[in-house]
Amino acid sequence: MLKSIAVRISQGTQYIPDPRTATPVGFRGKPVIGATACETGCSACTAACPTQAIALEPVRIDLGRCVMCGDCEPVCPSAKLSFTNDFKLASTNRSALVVSESRPAPDPIQVSAELRKRFGRSLKLRSVSAGGCNACELEINALSNVNFDLGRYGIDIVASPRHADGLVLSGPITRNMAAALQECWSAMPEPKFVIAVGACAISGSPFEGSSAIERSFLDRFAPSLYIPGCPPHPLTFVCGILDLLGIPG
Amino acid sequence: MNFSQPLLVLQTSGIAPTSLQELVRACADRLSAGDRILAFYGRPNGGDRVLVTAALTDSSGHISVFRAHAERGEQYPSLTPQHPGAQMFERELWEQMDVVPTDHPWLKPVRFEGHRQQRMTDYPFFSVRGQEVHEVGVGPIHASVIEPGHFRFMCLGEEVHHLEIQLGYQHRGVEAQLLRRPPLSLTSTLESVVGDSSIAYAWAYCAAMEALSISAVSVEVDAVRGVALEMERVAMHLASLTGLATDIAFLQGGATYGRLRTAIINASMRACGSRFGRGWLRPGGVRFGLPDELRQDLLATLAAFAADFAEINDLMLSARSVRARFEGVGVVSKLDATALGLVGLVARASGVSVDTRTSMPGRLYGTHSMPLVTETTGDCWARLKLRMREIDESVRWIRHILNESGLDLRAGMLRQPERLQPDALCVSVREGCRGEVVQVVETGGDGRLLHYKVQDPSFQNWFGLALALRNNEISDFPICNKSFDLSYCGNDL
């Protein structure tokens, strides 16, 4: 009993009071595309990028493909690229994930009146990993720990698709998992929606071109929310879903 | 002193391929003499021809390599009946290259790759017959947030007589993917082969690239990589402890280990920008060093961690209800663990002395040694305690490195190698949180990659979990599974 109390005292208060104003020290998050001009004919950044996330003229970075490895930053002779610890990267719109000098961040998420009405006070999520490397999965797990504590907003991860409102998809969707993913989705009651977590789920980019990937599920059921990162920081997820449902911090 | 390296580079012209039959005989002799398999695989060699490579190691960490020509459809006498530790390797060689081990007792797909993709329903399950026997199938999608895999329990009442584990759902075609990009820019792909072991995978890869390009890295680079790897081990063992505590509804453990893991991975993030160590290591060095301020920050983080960790461990280990749930459950004997070729923490929990940080210490662990810690009982209790002890050892080791004033770790140190030597084969090994991560890289005449073999310790260890469940209750499966905490994508690639 005394030991238990001692552990409780050491534990202290761990939850992040307002996830929207948190500062993850050191986090390599949103890339910033500076104003300096590119050297003529230079394509060092696109060559260094492992996931073809960068396009040129003008320089654009697709956060849906970017794994935030930072490999582009040191190779740029014009020092045009850098990374900040900004974790607010989520978007409801796939094309809005492309950032550039003139459009430095994804558009702020518009509250969905429909989703807010149905799920604003209680949202149950079912996680499906379809080729995820266990990094996204660990970060999805972390959403429920004492730090991020998503449960305080009425948002929980549930064990059965029958209980779920949203499907949290991670991984590039392997051929071997495509059927099980479809079955899980079919087992979820309407109304329901998809949340794509990580570069693999959003674009398949880390495993693009692999013959073991089969992404037609996403052609049939477009995600309502995209959570970029490799893996995404839990704060990216928390703030994305709170913004979508219009939940105050 | 043992100076074995976790690395071997050979010119392929120096290893004359024999016939497959001769290679198998040579392997059988070595295995009988106490060697174990590090890698055993085939690669396409034009038309229907296959080049088989075997890498074995003895207890002193010496690596020997054998190669043989074979053809698709060729048969050879299976090693598995005499040496069960070969079973997964022979299954993989059969699945990938259609080289057939005759009399293999368990010749089943490893991960349903190639033409077997999407034929997951074809798995040839063992069937237990009897009037009262029943089967319970679980997965591929599980109740918690976890990777997919199918478990089928064959039970008499509550007692599990056999558990069959069918994997492959996570197969992304990693090995083929690694041949699609320039060999020196594969780190980010390797970091997401098994995303919770990014450092172990990146380090094995970087060491291979450095060896193949004959570029040496400094002891300081080694030290920073070592710190990164032990941070990863601490974080992953904490994730396992969180799961173990939660699975027996020991909620205070779940909450506390979860919080402690946050502190560790956030410290890694302050060092390299990622909670999983992504972007930290690159061929030729590390992108981020440990400036003095960060060194003090890590030491302070670890000091606070160590005190709280000892406190929760004491609470957990002294709770009779915890002991009652874990003791005697999911036992793997030392004999079975050795015969099955189990590796890493799972093997050490059964008393097997296998840790490549001690058997192949190389320069880093040769200078700053890591003790080999083992348990004897091979049950969930042993795996629980060993995770705690390994965390203690890792923390002690990191603090020792950070307190070593002779090591200047301040700057990021990166001298990117330019190209790889042609016609070479490199075996690279790193002891990740689950055990040895093995990568075998072969270059062709132009210095480009011919083949990239990736192997996670989970590959051998999943069968150990199946064995652990025998004669246990089905309700003890969650704690058995979590006490092993194996990687699905590491098996499926």
Side-chain angles (χ1 to χ4, degrees), chain A residues 46-111:
Chain A
T46 58
C49 179
T51 55
Q52 289 88 53
I54 311 178
L56 298 175
E57 295 181 34
V59 176
R60 304 178 298 281
I61 298 181
D62 181 354
L63 299 179
R65 302 183 65 92
C66 180
V67 292
M68 282 115 194
C69 65
D71 280 348
C72 54
E73 184 178 355
V75 300
C76 176
S78 323
K80 195 175 170 66
L81 302 171
S82 58
F83 288 80
T84 67
N85 68 351
D86 187 349
F87 55 83
K88 288 179 189 146
L89 309 169
S91 174
T92 52
N93 180 351
R94 174 69 185 87
S95 58
L97 291 175
V98 180
V99 297
S100 62
E101 189 192 330
S102 58
R103 218 173 135 278
D107 305 325
I109 291 176
Q110 298 296 314
V111 177

Side-chain angles (χ1 to χ4, degrees), chain B residues 434-469:
Chain B
R434 297 187 179 87
E436 59 203 38
V437 170
V438 180
Q439 294 172 18
V440 188
V441 191
E442 186 179 354
T443 60
D446 50 5
R448 285 200 220 166
L449 296 187
L450 271 185
H451 196 72
Y452 206 121
K453 180 77 207 122
V454 179
Q455 196 179 291
D456 192 79
S458 308
F459 179 71
Q460 296 101 301
N461 282 356
W462 276 109
F463 212 84
L465 175 62
L467 202 65
L469 250 285

Side-chain angles (χ1 to χ4, degrees), chain A:
Chain A
M1 186 65 197
L2 287 175
K3 283 179 185 174
S4 181
I5 293 168
V7 168
R8 183 65 196 85
I9 292 168
S10 307
Q11 179 81 340
T13 304
Q14 294 290 335
Y15 77 99
I16 300 167
D18 180 1
R20 287 187 177 92
T21 57
T23 44
V25 178
F27 175 57
R28 187 167 52 251
K30 195 185 74 184
V32 175
I33 300 166
T36 51
C38 289
E39 285 188 7
T40 316
C42 177
S43 59
C45 57
T46 58
C49 179
T51 55
Q52 289 88 53
I54 311 178
L56 298 175
E57 295 181 34
V59 176
R60 304 178 298 281
I61 298 181
D62 181 354
L63 299 179
R65 302 183 65 92
C66 180
V67 292
M68 282 115 194
C69 65
D71 280 348
C72 54
E73 184 178 355
V75 300
C76 176
S78 323
K80 195 175 170 66
L81 302 171
S82 58
F83 288 80
T84 67
N85 68 351
D86 187 349
F87 55 83
K88 288 179 189 146
L89 309 169
S91 174
T92 52
N93 180 351
R94 174 69 185 87
S95 58
L97 291 175
V98 180
V99 297
S100 62
E101 189 192 330
S102 58
R103 218 173 135 278
D107 305 325
I109 291 176
Q110 298 296 314
V111 177
S112 159
E114 165 75 8
L115 293 177
R116 180 189 162 88
K117 179 167 151 252
R118 293 187 185 278
F119 306 123
R121 292 160 64 86
S122 166
L123 174 66
K124 305 297 165 195
L125 301 172
R126 172 66 253 191
S127 150
V128 177
S129 169
C133 70
N134 204 31
C136 283
E137 291 72 13
L138 281 167
E139 292 296 45
I140 293 167
N141 259 317
L143 295 171
S144 311
N145 72 16
V146 293
N147 307 101
F148 300 101
D149 190 18
L150 203 53
R152 68 183 132 157
Y153 303 108
I155 305 171
D156 294 299
I157 313 276
V158 293
S160 166
R162 291 294 200 212
H163 305 157
D165 310 307
L167 188 152
V168 177
L169 174 68
S170 52
I173 313 184
T174 58
R175 246 174 227 294
N176 288 347
M177 194 56 198
L181 171 64
Q182 178 63 52
E183 263 182 62
C184 178
W185 174 253
S186 304
M188 286 169 55
E190 297 277 0
K192 54 187 171 182
F193 65 102
V194 178
I195 301 174
V197 174
C200 280
I202 297 174
S203 69
S205 65
F207 294 96
E208 187 163 55
S210 168
S211 59
I213 303 302
E214 211 281 283
R215 293 175 55 76
S216 63
F217 176 82
L218 291 172
D219 299 334
R220 298 192 294 278
F221 310 103
S224 302
L225 187 63
Y226 299 88
I227 315 282
C230 186
H233 197 288
L235 287 169
T236 307
F237 190 111
V238 175
C239 292
I241 194 75
L242 294 188
D243 288 350
L244 182 67
L245 300 180
I247 297 173

Side-chain angles (χ1 to χ4, degrees), chain B residues 133-154:
Chain B
V133 173
H134 66 103
E135 289 187 359
V136 179
V138 182
I141 300 174
H142 300 281
S144 53
V145 182
I146 189 169
E147 297 175 70
H150 182 80
F151 301 100
R152 191 165 294 189
F153 303 91
M154 289 131 208

